[in-house]
Amino acid sequence: MNPNQALWEKGDFTRIAASMRTSGDEVVAGLGDVTGLDVLDLGCGDGTTALPAAERGANVLGVDIAENLVEAGNRRAAEAGLENLRFVQGDARNLDGIPDDSFDLVVSMFGAMFAPDPDQVAKEMVRVTRPGGRIVMGNWIPGDPTLVAQILKISSAYSPPPPAGFVSPMTWGVEDTVVERFTGAGVPRENISCRPATFTFENDEPASEFLNDFRTYYGPTMNAFAAAGENGREADLHSELDELFNAQNQSADPGHTTIPATYLQVTVSV
Ligand SMILES: C[S@@+](CC[C@H](N)C(=O)[O-])C[C@H]1O[C@@H](n2cnc3c(N)ncnc32)[C@H](O)[C@@H]1O
């Protein structure tokens, strides 16, 4: 199987996505009036942004490489009674079957950044966006001191080196690289803007339990623990991550975790 698909079908990302709903809703609120817009949510997971966009009156297609998340998204759409929202399996590298100029808005929160072949991903996002439309991406920032960048950094120290030619997903969090990719896809420089923004994870468990959810359900963290286990270093990885989760937690309630994380919000006018 495609290793990118296998990574995200591993575990159950819906257990992490449950902690992302409040900020997902805020991201969509920040997109302005989406009523009647045709929206693509790329790397949509189980619909953290797709669902609130549909609730606000957009016609939404969610595309994700993981079959289990597509199924979970369609279940959530049915439970919410949303007929203007559907999820299909697809690869951001090749949006086969989606004609040119199909969407007014393409959104990808921490989604397309995880697809291999980023130049091709940028081209596909531009291709399916109508002239006059917008692309909005949320991308984690390499070296950032907040949660997700640090999870990925700590995990990489316990994992084997990536294969030759591997391009880190975190490169989507570097403004100059983002500009290179979208200008390479034909967008003028002045139509591309980047700014730091905050996404907050909210979970009704103590921070150490929230880490256990990542360890049990989040593909990249599961892989890091598997690699650490091969060298007898699982306990070291756990203790580094436990310290991180507890240090980043801003909740005063010991039974709840609130962790804000910084990301790069990219807006491209097509
Ligand atoms: C960190 S999750 C974010 C999910 C969702 N956007 C959210 O905010 O909850 C990354 C998502 O990107 C999807 N993904 C990874 N590679 C992909 C690809 N090549 N094409 C489409 N989706 C992809 C994964 O399956 C996963 O659902």
Side-chain angles (χ1 to χ4, degrees), residues 4 8 13 20 43-45 48 64-66 69 90-92 109-111 114-115:
N4 178 222
W8 291 100
F13 181 73
M20 298 169 69
C44 56
T48 290
D64 199 281
I65 199 153
L69 299 179
D91 190 332
M109 293 303 292
F110 325 119
F114 288 105

Side-chain angles (χ1 to χ4, degrees), residues 6-264:
L7 173 68
W8 291 100
E9 288 184 352
K10 202 168 193 160
D12 182 2
F13 181 73
T14 67
R15 300 290 295 253
I16 308 301
S19 68
M20 298 169 69
R21 306 299 190 213
T22 308
S23 275
D25 196 57
E26 284 165 6
V27 166
V28 175
L31 296 172
D33 185 6
V34 295
T35 315
L37 297 188
D38 293 322
V39 174
L40 170 66
D41 189 340
L42 190 56
C44 56
D46 66 352
T48 290
T49 39
L51 200 119
E55 283 173 339
R56 287 173 166 79
N59 306 308
V60 185
L61 176 68
V63 170
D64 199 281
I65 199 153
E67 291 278 11
N68 55 334
L69 299 179
V70 167
E71 277 167 28
N74 279 320
R75 266 198 310 276
R76 293 184 74 221
E79 280 161 17
L82 289 166
E83 288 176 6
N84 53 333
L85 170 61
R86 70 192 174 92
F87 294 81
V88 296
Q89 200 261 346
D91 190 332
R93 280 180 292 182
N94 180 0
L95 295 170
D96 256 351
I98 300 185
D100 297 357
D101 307 340
S102 289
F103 298 99
D104 303 298
L105 177 59
V106 173
V107 179
S108 189
M109 293 303 292
F110 325 119
M113 69 172 285
F114 288 105
D117 201 350
D119 291 334
Q120 183 57 25
V121 170
K123 285 188 182 119
E124 281 294 82
M125 286 194 279
V126 171
R127 179 184 71 75
V128 301
T129 307
R130 291 182 183 129
R134 247 185 319 161
I135 299 167
V136 176
M137 292 182 88
N139 300 329
W140 301 119
I141 301 170
D144 185 81
T146 61
L147 186 75
V148 185
Q150 288 300 312
I151 295 176
L152 298 174
K153 184 177 167 209
I154 291 169
S155 299
S156 70
Y158 289 82
S159 306
F166 173 81
V167 180
S168 165
M170 300 301 281
T171 54
W172 273 112
V174 178
E175 177 164 0
D176 286 350
T177 307
V178 168
V179 167
E180 237 171 67
R181 287 174 185 162
F182 282 113
T183 53
V187 177
R189 168 68 185 94
E190 61 274 20
N191 290 10
I192 305 162
S193 64
C194 296
R195 67 172 185 97
T198 302
F199 196 97
T200 302
F201 293 84
E202 296 282 0
N203 189 50
D204 265 333
E205 292 171 317
S208 295
E209 284 306 310
F210 190 35
L211 163 60
N212 282 335
D213 292 342
F214 274 74
R215 184 172 177 167
T216 313
Y217 299 114
Y218 181 64
T221 307
M222 294 167 75
N223 279 356
F225 272 99
E230 283 173 22
N231 303 308
R233 297 180 68 211
E234 270 176 309
D236 294 342
L237 173 57
H238 190 92
S239 112
E240 272 201 68
L241 289 175
D242 194 50
E243 196 180 320
L244 171 73
F245 275 66
N246 281 285
Q248 300 266 326
N249 181 19
Q250 295 190 354
S251 173
D253 172 354
H256 187 90
T257 304
T258 300
I259 301 185
T262 307
Y263 69 95
L264 190 71

